[in-house]
Amino acid sequence: MTFEPAAGGFSDENLLSVDQRGFKSIIQQEAKSFLKGQLRLSTIVKSVEWSASGVRAVLDDGTSISADYAICTFSLGVLKMGDVRFKPDFPDFKREALASMTMGTYTKIFLQFPRKFWFNTEFALYADPERGRYPVWQSLDMENFLPGCGIILVTVTGDYSERVEALSDATIKEEAMSVLRAMYPNITIPEPLAFKFHRWFNDPLYRGSYSNWPASFVKQQHDDIRVNLERLYFAGEATSENYYGPSVVLKLDEVDEISPFSQDISMEPILKAAIWLL
């Protein structure tokens, strides 16, 4: 990922979305245009059987779905953890590539108070003797965000995110409050009205927040993650060289991102005959 906007990287503008409908509304509106009863919700795939003749997905209720092709967009974390069993197993080169790429965990912890008592900038940094302990604070109670909301959030990442997820909500809230009170020792800070965060690392549908390229990860390993296995195709944010990260939309007119070896293949019949494993 590049930091140069002109090269397709991060924007110079702050693009934090505060739309109360959430990102899901974009997908839901897109789906309305073509999904007519083909979508299975609240269904977990337990295993996938793949071969040169087709693909069969076995669901948690014991039923199965068969198709000529399957497009797999399970998160890197799910593939690494083995939450879905593939039959036959992936070849050694693909398992080595999946093991080499890391799944980042990025935890945002939200607290809402009766009124704002903190900094007037968007961000503030807290330095603690313990590395990674509630360091980045962000105010949503600002112009162009949610003025008057009384919401502040703190971000933890990596190993500290995994540590936090292993604690109870009460313990995490207590720790976050102790940091706020250390930041503002002369203010009597009330208990928050609301407290919320998501345990991405322990969520069996995600096993983390987004893929991350470690320093030792090379392009050949990324190609090995992307490569198709017979009629089992791979897509999703971890397979993209340019747009990996927490928020990715795959357009069908950019479907060459599915595989580095699919440029000579007409994708239209595959998409029509495929099950999409999300």
Side-chain angles (χ1 to χ4, degrees), residues 13-245:
E13 301 177 25
N14 190 324
L15 300 179
L16 175 68
S17 174
V18 293
D19 192 317
Q20 297 301 291
R21 295 172 298 178
F23 277 125
K24 68 178 182 180
S25 63
I26 300 174
I27 306 301
Q28 289 171 339
Q29 291 302 313
E30 289 285 342
K32 285 181 180 178
S33 66
F34 66 92
L35 281 181
K36 307 296 180 183
Q38 306 102 309
L39 183 63
R40 295 280 296 269
L41 298 175
S42 301
T43 304
I44 297 175
V45 177
K46 301 302 292 184
S47 66
V48 177
E49 302 167 10
W50 56 276
S51 69
S53 59
V55 180
R56 176 173 175 262
V58 179
L59 311 179
D60 59 348
D61 62 2
T63 62
S64 64
I65 302 174
S66 297
D68 294 337
Y69 300 89
I71 300 172
C72 177
T73 57
F74 295 138
S75 78
L76 175 71
V78 168
L79 294 176
K80 288 171 68 72
M81 292 289 287
D83 290 301
V84 179
R85 184 179 179 187
F86 289 85
K87 305 175 184 179
D89 199 357
F90 293 158
D92 290 345
F93 73 87
K94 198 172 193 71
R95 288 191 286 115
E96 187 276 334
L98 289 169
S100 298
M101 198 175 194
T102 59
M103 190 69 175
T105 305
Y106 191 97
T107 306
K108 293 182 178 181
I109 302 167
F110 296 82
L111 301 100
Q112 184 176 30
F113 294 92
R115 61 178 179 81
K116 178 180 177 180
F117 58 81
W118 50 85
F119 46 90
N120 290 318
T121 56
E122 182 182 347
F123 289 97
L125 298 178
Y126 170 74
D128 190 274
E130 182 180 0
R131 180 178 174 84
R133 185 172 186 266
Y134 306 99
V136 183
W137 293 79
Q138 183 178 1
S139 175
L140 296 185
D141 194 334
M142 292 186 63
E143 185 180 0
N144 298 324
F145 289 91
L146 298 171
C149 69
I151 298 175
I152 188 172
L153 67 98
V154 59
T155 299
V156 295
T157 62
D159 292 342
Y160 210 88
S161 283
E162 295 180 24
R163 172 198 173 273
V164 161
E165 288 197 17
L167 303 175
S168 67
D169 283 9
T171 300
I172 298 166
K173 181 170 71 172
E174 182 181 346
E175 289 189 351
M177 288 295 294
S178 71
V179 171
L180 273 177
R181 287 169 175 145
M183 293 169 65
Y184 297 97
N186 298 322
I187 297 177
T188 300
I189 301 176
E191 287 297 305
L193 301 173
F195 169 86
K196 185 176 180 62
F197 81 104
H198 190 80
R199 289 176 166 83
W200 293 109
F201 179 72
N202 287 308
D203 189 324
L205 300 182
Y206 301 96
R207 300 297 188 189
S209 303
Y210 50 86
S211 63
N212 181 57
W213 289 45
S216 59
F217 194 71
V218 298
K219 187 178 184 303
Q220 182 59 55
Q221 290 170 313
H222 190 246
D223 288 344
D224 289 343
I225 288 177
R226 295 175 52 153
V227 71
N228 305 323
L229 299 175
E230 302 290 359
R231 293 194 170 194
L232 179 61
Y233 282 63
F234 292 86
E237 59 88 16
T239 66
S240 175
E241 291 185 23
N242 299 316
Y243 301 108
Y244 63 91

Side-chain angles (χ1 to χ4, degrees), residues 242-258:
N242 299 316
Y243 301 108
Y244 63 91
S247 301
V248 175
V249 176
L250 174 64
K251 299 180 182 178
L252 294 184
D253 59 357
E254 296 171 351
V255 78
D256 60 303
E257 281 284 347
I258 288 177

